[in-house]
Amino acid sequence: RNIVIAGVGGQGTLLASKILGQCALNLGYDVKVSEVHGMSQRGGSVVTYVRYGDKVASPLIENGQADILLAFEQLECLRWLPVLRPDGVAVMSEQKIAPMPVISGIEKYPENIPQIIRDSGVKLYSCDALGIAEELGNTKAVNVVLIGLLAKHSGIPKEEFIKAIEQTVKPRFLELNLAAFERGNGI
């Protein structure tokens, strides 16, 4: 399986990739996780790849090869849509973060991104992950809310994701992240 995680710097793409990679390792797969690529320190676009299977040679995923796109923001989902295979799945936060060209007035934030994604033929699952994370008291939980939504549609027992979260997340943040996972999984 090929998973692309796309977001904006500071949204937790690295933790998401560690949780997904640990889950696949626990299931006995060979796993390759790429480093975070992008301007993570400046709030820029960030992408991480997670590949798992019987034998995986490289962590890189070519356009049209991803099974799943996990996007922490609408425009990032649209930007990375070409990486998905035609029957792929996009799991997206409904959050909108305006990039610098939009903030400066050079460009406009695209309208109707969820509809554009659906019209492309991929299956889209989305939620207000930021709103859920805010309800839980920590906006950094967006990533694990989305992992919960992903888990619901993955065909992998949710207990495997919970185990991976327990193995990956620092103890002081475990309760928050387990609650975030359950909220996302319940959508």
Side-chain angles (χ1 to χ4, degrees):
R1 306 276 294 178
N2 297 322
I3 304 171
V4 174
I5 304 167
V8 172
Q11 286 190 300
T13 57
L14 184 59
L15 178 61
S17 67
K18 287 180 178 178
I19 291 169
L20 294 174
Q22 186 63 53
C23 186
L25 273 175
N26 291 346
L27 292 167
Y29 291 108
D30 183 25
V31 179
K32 298 285 186 283
V33 178
S34 75
E35 296 295 320
V36 174
H37 299 283
M39 298 190 32
S40 60
Q41 298 301 316
R42 300 205 163 104
S45 182
V46 176
V47 66
T48 306
Y49 305 123
V50 178
R51 296 189 69 207
Y52 68 92
D54 293 332
K55 184 70 181 137
V56 178
S58 165
L60 300 181
I61 300 170
E62 302 289 328
N63 277 357
Q65 300 298 310
D67 301 293
I68 298 166
L69 171 59
L70 183 64
F72 295 2
E73 192 270 342
Q74 286 191 33
L75 190 55
E76 291 302 317
C77 192
L78 184 61
R79 182 181 321 214
W80 288 96
L81 194 59
V83 80
L84 274 175
R85 64 178 207 225
D87 60 343
V89 172
V91 177
M92 178 186 79
S93 173
E94 294 167 356
Q95 182 178 4
K96 294 179 181 179
I97 300 173
M100 194 51 70
V102 171
I103 292 169
S104 64
I106 296 169
E107 294 181 19
K108 289 194 182 318
Y109 197 97
E111 300 282 324
N112 304 318
I113 289 176
Q115 192 58 50
I116 294 167
I117 293 166
R118 282 188 200 93
D119 289 348
S120 77
V122 304
K123 195 169 276 182
L124 174 65
Y125 300 104
S126 67
C127 69
D128 180 10
L130 178 61
I132 293 168
E134 286 172 341
E135 287 173 24
L136 293 171
N138 192 327
T139 57
K140 291 188 181 281
V142 163
N143 54 359
V144 183
V145 171
L146 289 173
I147 289 173
L149 181 57
L150 166 65
K152 181 177 183 176
H153 302 285
S154 71
I156 297 170
K158 83 178 209 178
E159 294 73 27
E160 294 295 337
F161 287 92
I162 291 170
K163 181 176 161 186
I165 292 167
E166 291 170 344
Q167 292 170 310
T168 308
V169 173
K170 291 178 182 172
R172 67 178 189 213
F173 299 117
L174 187 56
E175 185 178 335
L176 166 70
N177 281 282
L178 290 174
F181 175 84
E182 289 294 345
R183 289 289 301 276
N185 196 250
I187 296 172

